[in-house]
Amino acid sequence: MRSFEVTDVGRMSAILEVFSLLDDIRWNEASNYNLINYCRDDLTDDEKLLTHWLCYIMDRQMPFERIWDIGGYVISHLVHTYAANPDKDVAGVIAPYVRRNGNAVRLESPLDRPNARLERYGITGDTVPFASRYMPEDLVLIYRTLGILDKVADRSIARFMCLALDEGMDLEQGIKQMAFALNQLTYAAGGTVSGAKFDQRMEEIDREIADFKLEIDTDGTLFGRKRLWCSLRDYLKSPEFNPVFVASLEKAGSPNPDRWKRDSVELKAALKVLELPGDVWNNAEIFREGLFRPYVSNERRTWDMPRTIREIYKFITQSGTTFFYPEQLDVSFDFVPRMCQHAMCAVCLFGAGIEEVCHQNQDLLCPVVLYSCGYIHRCDPSSCGFKKNSVKGFCKSSYIQI
């Protein structure tokens, strides 16, 4: 089979530059990202980090707002109990939060005080119930995670990640090592779990926890681990979670934790090893057929978008430098449902262009990124990378062909 090729490096580079700019804007404003509804204000940094990790376990095929708003409250309550009772076995910590009705399983925590975000869902009683789309499978993974952290890392997810890091290790290797370690912590035990098999699977997990040894082999790949890459990405790039991540590493004894600050030049250069979290939006045919397949050849039809964008990145970097790296295409999570799914080609950067919406008025909200992704961003015409309208007409799925 002939080798993969980007047939129009210039156009592809311009397309990726736009997504890179959108990604930078996404992470420059905390309001562009949903924050967790913690059950209390005095959680430790490590508890916040672990709550985030466990919430992402449940982030599948349901509105993410429910996961952060309701699931975040319940999980943070569970995590605080777990951390505050180190002498209590993990099964004993989790048991009061589990409710079973036949083969149906859900989580439930006390509602300790009124919570405005929960009230929007009509939750005002004494308890907060939550069930993810994939219960009880998600609960099995939560149990495994907490059990392993108890066994090898004093119930600290930051200390667990430190086990994957060596002093003097470059950050690219460090990111890879953490990714493989986190995969072993949780997702290596993935698989369908029915309610009828729940107890049996929990017994198996107990044996896996007892036998667990962290062994990292970064020669493999972790494509398909969407939730893992989303979590790790947040720790490295989010204005909310990166300070929590760095502070947790410092408390866990990591050498030179400041290297992991989101504004670190060294870290920014290492982000290229992050994989794109694959989802329905970046794998959507209208998106791929419009902006990627017209400009490549010999793409394997079995590849999902994370594999495809990694190959595009490798090809383009052989031809020269690029400011884009694969994970930045995750802004498609916001872009595709707003633009492609609603056929907003008339005001799309890649369709008819942005002349009718780009006002170039200093400090007013930028309508281009507000339309494109729903992001809050103040206009600065002197440094704007969009106003040149350089990718107008590039999308072959647009109903308006330029």
Side-chain angles (χ1 to χ4, degrees):
M1 181 176 288
R2 290 178 295 173
S3 59
F4 176 84
E5 180 182 2
V6 176
T7 55
D8 192 330
V9 172
R11 284 203 166 197
M12 182 61 70
S13 296
I15 290 169
L16 298 181
E17 180 185 358
V18 167
F19 285 115
S20 179
L21 291 171
L22 289 171
D23 181 72
D24 288 342
I25 289 169
R26 177 189 193 186
W27 298 108
N28 280 336
E29 174 61 53
S31 63
N32 290 332
Y33 195 72
N34 282 72
L35 308 181
I36 293 175
N37 184 22
Y38 296 116
C39 70
R40 54 195 299 149
D41 298 327
D42 61 348
L43 295 179
T44 67
D45 289 324
D46 200 90
E47 288 170 1
K48 291 178 180 177
L49 210 63
L50 181 54
T51 296
H52 175 278
W53 177 258
L54 298 182
C55 282
Y56 253 120
I57 289 175
M58 303 185 294
D59 188 11
R60 288 189 291 173
Q61 296 186 22
M62 68 182 301
F64 65 87
E65 295 90 349
R66 290 187 65 88
I67 296 165
W68 300 128
D69 290 343
I70 307 176
Y73 187 96
V74 174
I75 290 296
S76 62
H77 203 291
L78 167 61
V79 165
H80 181 70
T81 302
Y82 168 78
N85 296 275
D87 296 328
K88 190 171 186 178
D89 68 273
V90 177
V93 169
I94 289 182
Y97 291 88
V98 178
R99 300 289 182 270
R100 302 182 66 172
N101 182 10
N103 288 331
V105 180
R106 74 172 191 271
L107 290 169
E108 187 174 285
S109 78
L111 179 59
D112 295 331
R113 57 183 177 177
N115 184 283
R117 287 170 70 175
L118 292 178
E119 288 173 4
R120 294 203 300 263
Y121 296 89
I123 300 174
T124 57
D126 296 329
T127 61
V128 184
F130 181 75
S132 65
R133 177 76 178 271
Y134 288 91
M135 283 292 184
E137 176 184 329
D138 292 344
L139 181 55
V140 169
L141 297 184
I142 290 170
Y143 179 63
R144 172 191 169 91
T145 301
L146 297 181
I148 291 174
L149 292 180
D150 177 61
K151 181 178 188 291
V152 305
D154 297 328
R155 301 198 172 186
S156 165
I157 190 170
R159 191 166 288 115
F160 179 83
M161 285 188 277
C162 285
L163 297 176
L165 302 175
D166 298 325
E167 189 170 357
M169 176 183 289
D170 70 76
L171 296 195
E172 285 187 34
Q173 186 63 24
I175 293 172
K176 291 179 182 178
Q177 297 260 128
M178 282 194 291
F180 276 85
L182 289 168
N183 185 61
Q184 285 192 41
L185 174 66
T186 300
Y187 297 111
T192 302
V193 180
S194 66
K197 297 291 185 179
F198 175 59
D199 293 320
Q200 176 185 329
R201 186 66 183 116
M202 292 290 272
E203 292 174 2
E204 294 170 354
I205 290 294
D206 279 329
R207 292 191 290 271
E208 292 175 17
I209 292 170
D211 295 337
F212 180 82
K213 292 180 180 179
L214 181 60
E215 297 175 348
I216 299 174
D217 178 10
T218 57
D219 290 336
T221 61
L222 288 175
F223 291 120
R225 297 300 196 204
K226 171 190 171 182
R227 294 166 289 165
L228 183 155
W229 289 115
C230 284
S231 298
L232 190 52
R233 179 271 318 281
D234 287 359
Y235 301 156
L236 301 179
K237 297 174 61 173
S238 164
E240 179 195 11
F241 285 106
N242 180 254
V244 171
F245 174 69
V246 173
S248 297
L249 289 183
E250 182 174 21
K251 187 172 182 180
S254 173
N256 194 9
D258 285 353
R259 301 169 72 199
W260 295 98
K261 288 184 176 179
R262 62 190 294 265
D263 59 355
S264 158
V265 173
E266 185 181 6
L267 177 59
K268 287 181 178 180
L271 295 176
K272 61 188 178 184
V273 303
L274 291 173
E275 299 296 354
L276 170 67
D279 59 30
V280 296
W281 301 119
N282 56 53
N283 281 303
E285 282 299 301
I286 190 172
F287 181 64
R288 297 183 68 172
E289 292 289 347
L291 289 176
F292 296 95
R293 289 193 176 129
Y295 306 114
V296 302
S297 65
N298 306 320
E299 177 194 6
R300 312 297 189 268
R301 286 286 169 172
T302 56
W303 287 352
D304 58 7
M305 199 61 197
R307 289 173 173 82
T308 298
I309 199 63
R310 174 58 65 182
E311 291 301 315
I312 289 173
Y313 172 80
K314 286 162 59 177
F315 189 96
I316 286 181
T317 51
Q318 290 172 0
S319 305
T321 59
T322 177
F323 294 104
F324 171 88
Y325 53 88
E327 183 278 329
Q328 290 188 301
L329 194 63
D330 191 54
V331 293
S332 57
F333 177 82
D334 295 310
F335 180 89
V336 175
R338 285 174 172 82
M339 302 303 290
C340 307
Q341 293 298 108
H342 290 284
M344 296 286 283
C345 310
V347 292
C348 181
L349 284 151
F350 308 102
I354 60 174
E355 293 97 330
E356 295 189 33
V357 293
C358 180
H359 56 58
Q360 297 188 44
N361 285 319
Q362 185 77 35
D363 294 331
L364 293 184
L365 291 182
C366 171
V368 175
V369 297
L370 200 56
Y371 270 122
S372 298
C373 296
Y375 299 156
I376 299 299
H377 175 63
R378 299 288 171 179
C379 179
D380 182 4
S382 65
S383 63
C384 179
F386 301 118
K387 66 179 183 180
K388 56 187 177 182
N389 212 16
S390 61
V391 291
K392 176 180 178 179
F394 281 18
C395 180
K396 302 305 180 184
S397 292
S398 174
Y399 71 83
I400 302 172
Q401 293 298 318
I402 306 300

